Amino acid sequence: MYPPEWLRRNAIDDGAMTRFRCIDIVPLFWCLVMAPVVGSCSSLADMQRLFQAMAGIVVGRSSFLRRFSKGLARFLTTCIRRAVEFQLHEIARISLFKSFKDVLAVDSTGMALSSFLARAFPGSRTNSCPAAAKVNTVFSVVRCSVRSVMIAEGKRAELRFLRIGEWVRDNLLLIDLGYFSYAAFERIDRHGGFFISRLKASAHPTVVSDTIRGP
C-alpha cells in the first residue's frame, strides 16, 4: 500500500519534504504509524529515539521537530485517503457484498456523566451510574463513514434506536444482541433489507434454506 517511491513523491507534492538528505520520509512515516502501538512512545523525545532506531541515524532535536509541519499533516491526510481507497477497493472485490447497496454496522455505547445531569440523562444503574448518555451510531462499512448518530438517556434500550424504514432496503445490517428482536427482523425483511445477528442462547431456529448448499 505504501511503497517508498510513493511516499517520497507525495511527501514532496504535499510540502512535507523538499529533500531527503538528513531525514527520509519513509522511516519517519513508519515511525509515526508504529509509535502508537510500540507502547513506550509517550513524548516527542521517545518518538525521535524510535525514528533514530528505525532509520539508523542520529539527528538533532530541532531538525526532527521541524518535520512536524502543515505539509506533514497534508501528507498524512493523503496517506489516510489512500488507505480508505484501498479498503473500498478490497471490499468491492468481495462478491458477498456485491448483492447489497451498503453494509451498515449498528452499535451503541454508554458514557457516564456528572450526577447533576441525572434528571435529563438518567443512567441504567441509579447507584453506580446515576447519569449517563447512550450514543447510537450507524456506520457505513463500504463508504467508511458515519451515516447517523443518535444520543439519548443512558437507560434507553438499544432496540429503541433501531427505527426500521425504507432506508434498510437492499442494505445489510450488522447488529448485536442488544438489537435482537424477531419483530425487528420481520420489519427489516418486509422493507427489503437484510441482517446478520448473533443468536440468543435460548433461540432454536429452523433452517429453511442455505444460500451455499441450497434448500
Side-chain angles (χ1 to χ4, degrees), residues 157-195:
E158 282 85 353
L159 188 58
R160 291 181 59 190
F161 287 103
L162 197 60
R163 299 173 181 175
I164 307 302
E166 285 298 317
W167 64 275
V168 305
R169 183 173 299 279
D170 297 326
N171 290 326
L172 174 64
L173 274 64
L174 310 179
I175 50 183
D176 208 347
L177 284 178
Y179 304 87
F180 192 97
S181 166
Y182 295 112
F185 298 159
E186 188 276 332
R187 289 197 300 273
I188 294 174
D189 180 68
R190 179 155 38 92
H191 284 283
F194 305 86
F195 64 90

Side-chain angles (χ1 to χ4, degrees), residues 7 28 33 40 52 62 77 110 116 119 146 167 183 202:
L7 291 172
L28 179 60
V33 171
S40 60
Q52 291 178 156
S62 60
T77 301
F116 293 105
R119 180 173 295 180
V146 175
W167 64 275
S202 58

Side-chain angles (χ1 to χ4, degrees), residues 6-205:
W6 185 91
L7 291 172
R8 293 189 179 100
R9 183 176 66 253
N10 282 275
I12 294 175
D13 293 344
D14 291 331
M17 295 277 185
T18 56
R19 61 183 187 274
F20 307 103
R21 185 173 59 188
C22 298
I23 295 181
D24 191 351
I25 191 63
V26 177
L28 179 60
F29 169 76
W30 288 114
C31 170
L32 296 174
V33 171
M34 296 301 298
V37 299
V38 168
S40 60
C41 288
S42 57
S43 67
L44 287 172
D46 292 334
M47 191 173 296
Q48 181 178 348
R49 283 189 286 270
L50 176 62
F51 166 77
Q52 291 178 156
M54 296 177 68
I57 61 173
V58 177
V59 296
R61 180 170 176 78
S62 60
S63 178
F64 181 75
L65 294 180
R66 279 199 301 269
R67 304 305 170 185
F68 292 84
S69 62
K70 292 182 179 180
L72 181 64
R74 288 192 296 269
F75 168 71
L76 294 176
T77 301
T78 300
C79 294
I80 293 173
R81 188 177 297 114
R82 180 176 175 87
V84 171
E85 291 173 352
F86 181 83
Q87 285 183 317
L88 293 177
H89 177 70
E90 289 301 303
I91 290 175
R93 289 176 54 193
I94 302 175
S95 59
L96 174 64
F97 292 140
K98 290 183 178 179
S99 303
F100 309 109
K101 184 168 60 177
D102 203 346
V103 180
L104 304 174
V106 185
D107 204 358
S108 63
T109 185
M111 297 185 298
L113 302 176
S114 169
S115 58
F116 293 105
L117 297 172
R119 180 173 295 180
F121 290 93
S124 56
R125 301 187 179 111
T126 56
N127 293 329
S128 60
C129 189
K134 187 168 287 185
V135 181
N136 186 86
T137 304
V138 178
F139 183 81
S140 169
V141 178
V142 173
R143 294 177 174 81
C144 296
S145 62
V146 175
R147 179 160 176 166
S148 68
V149 176
M150 296 176 64
I151 302 176
E153 65 278 6
K155 68 176 184 179
R156 176 175 294 194
E158 282 85 353
L159 188 58
R160 291 181 59 190
F161 287 103
L162 197 60
R163 299 173 181 175
I164 307 302
E166 285 298 317
W167 64 275
V168 305
R169 183 173 299 279
D170 297 326
N171 290 326
L172 174 64
L173 274 64
L174 310 179
I175 50 183
D176 208 347
L177 284 178
Y179 304 87
F180 192 97
S181 166
Y182 295 112
F185 298 159
E186 188 276 332
R187 289 197 300 273
I188 294 174
D189 180 68
R190 179 155 38 92
H191 284 283
F194 305 86
F195 64 90
I196 293 178
S197 171
R198 289 190 297 158
L199 278 175
K200 288 186 175 181
S202 58
H204 299 285

